Amino acid sequence: MKQAFGLVRRPWGVFYLKHKITGEQKSLKTCDKHEAQRILQAHNESECQPHFNLSLARVYLNGADPKLATRTWQEVMEDVVSKKKDETRRRWAVAIKDRNFDCIRNLSVCETRPEHFDRALADGKVSTNVYLRRIHNHALGMEWLLKSVIPRLQWPRPMFKAKRAITAEEHAAIVQRELNTERRDFYELLWHTGASQTDAACLLAEDVDWNQRTISYSRKKLKGRANIKPALIRFGKEVETILRRRPATGSLFPYLCTVRAGDRATEFHQRCVGLKIKGVSLHSYRYAWAERALKCGYPERFAQQALGHNSKAVHNAYAKHAEVTVPSLDDWEKDWQENPQRSAQPKLLPVDFRSPVAAIAQTN
């Protein structure tokens, strides 16, 4: 059989691989004739015997890892789930049942090509994109993949839905219509503290320090991570009124702490549908708290501690929709010259703990 490649040696001694039909040349980066001939032979064999080479590759792979040639993506998914705990494990168990994964579920990991992943990602579903990337990275980390199926920079960018903060008017309407006292107090506490729905639902009476007038709790999603400070927020009269209505010991929300986060979200969505409010969820309360804090000049480092995260990038993402009027530099500099000690310190503006109706009244 006619060979497709030949060898060319340049004057400086380096051997090049030359395609006899196209004339394309590629450096072999070696001056050793025997090494160049071995590489040439491998290229000619791969051109003439692709099926034989695939079988030969499986033999070598079996020597390194007996399951490397037969492991499927379903096995990779199950391995990921087995290493998760609690709520994260439940979410993963649901995620791997995505119908978009059916086209790769029984596909051998080592034989996966980019077009296989393209079929799974064809509908642009965000959750499929996010979880498939994590599954792919898990296989890479376990060295079950010899190289990336899709290079990191070539992954399609997930298109998230627009997120917004709940407005004071919307919150006031929801609270006014809510007949269940526990659920109404829960929504009020979210408005005043900016806590995530799971953290707020699991609050205990012991988390409240009445002497210092603070609420302190550890974020559920950050459980087990080192060097993460607990969320700490000082409360005012509005929150005090809410807390006085809740149990003095044990869980502040005995019913809500027993249901799944999805059920709490569904109940809130039903209230929004009844009031024809669109585009908000329970997480919108965190966006609202961050935007209110930014608008009134609340120091960012205090807002981070109140929201329970240390990343400025996360806080900036929460507050990116807030509208802030930047003060004149001339006025700021004049104020600093008149009282440099006061201006040098961050202004500790209190969080707006008033009711939404009062806040609207003062704004108007």
Side-chain angles (χ1 to χ4, degrees), residues 109-306:
V109 173
C110 68
E111 296 180 5
T112 307
R113 298 188 301 275
E115 52 265 32
H116 294 137
F117 275 12
D118 288 341
R119 284 199 292 270
L121 300 169
D123 65 352
K125 189 177 177 181
V126 173
S127 61
T128 302
N129 188 314
V130 171
Y131 280 99
L132 182 57
R133 185 186 296 231
R134 293 176 182 176
I135 294 166
H136 172 263
N137 291 342
H138 181 79
L140 275 176
M142 297 294 291
E143 297 186 350
W144 294 339
L145 268 175
L146 302 181
K147 67 173 185 176
S148 299
V149 176
I150 298 179
R152 181 174 61 87
L153 297 179
Q154 298 302 318
W155 274 86
R157 187 182 298 275
M159 303 300 293
F160 295 95
K161 293 181 179 179
K163 301 180 179 65
R164 71 174 180 88
I166 187 170
T167 65
E169 295 90 340
E170 291 169 340
H171 169 67
I174 291 172
V175 170
Q176 185 177 4
R177 189 171 182 177
E178 182 58 61
L179 300 179
N180 183 285
T181 56
E182 180 177 346
R183 201 173 286 118
R184 182 173 61 245
D185 289 344
F186 177 65
Y187 298 152
E188 285 275 29
L189 195 65
L190 290 181
W191 173 264
H192 290 295
T193 64
S196 69
Q197 62 140 320
T198 300
D199 292 330
C202 296
L203 279 176
L204 303 175
E206 291 72 21
D207 295 329
V208 181
D209 187 337
W210 288 102
N211 293 327
Q212 299 294 326
R213 298 179 66 80
T214 59
I215 301 175
S216 178
Y217 59 91
S218 297
R219 298 290 312 282
K220 297 295 182 183
K221 68 180 292 185
L222 303 179
K223 182 180 179 181
R225 297 189 188 181
N227 302 322
I228 299 296
K229 295 180 180 180
L232 179 66
I233 186 168
R234 189 179 302 277
F235 58 84
K237 293 182 179 180
E238 290 286 340
V239 176
E240 179 183 356
T241 303
I242 298 170
L243 295 176
R244 294 294 184 187
R245 296 197 297 259
R246 306 315 309 154
T249 59
S251 176
L252 293 180
F253 304 101
Y255 165 72
L256 292 175
C257 71
T258 62
V259 301
R260 297 188 309 111
D263 295 332
R264 291 191 294 265
T266 300
E267 291 171 347
F268 180 76
H269 178 69
Q270 291 171 348
R271 272 69 182 168
C272 293
V273 171
L275 293 168
K276 297 182 180 180
I277 298 174
K278 298 181 180 180
V280 298
S281 65
L282 285 174
H283 204 69
S284 297
Y285 279 103
R286 283 179 71 78
Y287 290 98
W289 194 98
E291 291 185 10
R292 290 164 57 212
L294 183 61
K295 286 179 181 178
C296 71
Y298 198 64
E300 186 173 6
R301 60 192 179 95
F302 295 151
Q304 288 176 354
Q305 189 171 4

Side-chain angles (χ1 to χ4, degrees), residues 4-36:
F5 297 96
L7 279 182
V8 175
R9 186 171 187 176
R10 295 292 176 86
W12 48 88
V14 178
F15 284 93
Y16 277 69
L17 190 71
K18 181 179 180 179
H19 197 286
K20 294 183 178 179
I21 298 177
T22 64
E24 182 182 0
Q25 296 186 14
K26 179 181 178 182
S27 174
L28 299 181
K29 299 180 181 180
T30 181
C31 297
D32 188 301
K33 184 176 181 180
H34 295 289
E35 183 178 351

Side-chain angles (χ1 to χ4, degrees), residues 59-115:
V59 174
Y60 285 113
L61 291 175
N62 287 334
D65 180 358
K67 293 195 65 177
L68 195 62
T70 59
R71 185 177 289 108
T72 64
W73 285 105
Q74 178 64 30
E75 294 177 76
V76 177
M77 297 177 198
E78 292 172 355
D79 187 73
V80 175
V81 174
S82 68
K83 295 180 179 179
K84 304 300 179 182
K85 296 180 181 179
D86 304 328
E87 181 65 17
T88 304
R89 182 167 186 164
R90 189 198 66 80
R91 286 200 302 268
W92 267 97
V94 174
I96 65 174
K97 296 178 182 179
D98 189 345
R99 292 182 179 179
N100 288 340
F101 293 150
D102 290 346
C103 61
I104 64 169
R105 200 176 298 279
N106 299 317
L107 179 66
S108 176
V109 173
C110 68
E111 296 180 5
T112 307
R113 298 188 301 275
E115 52 265 32

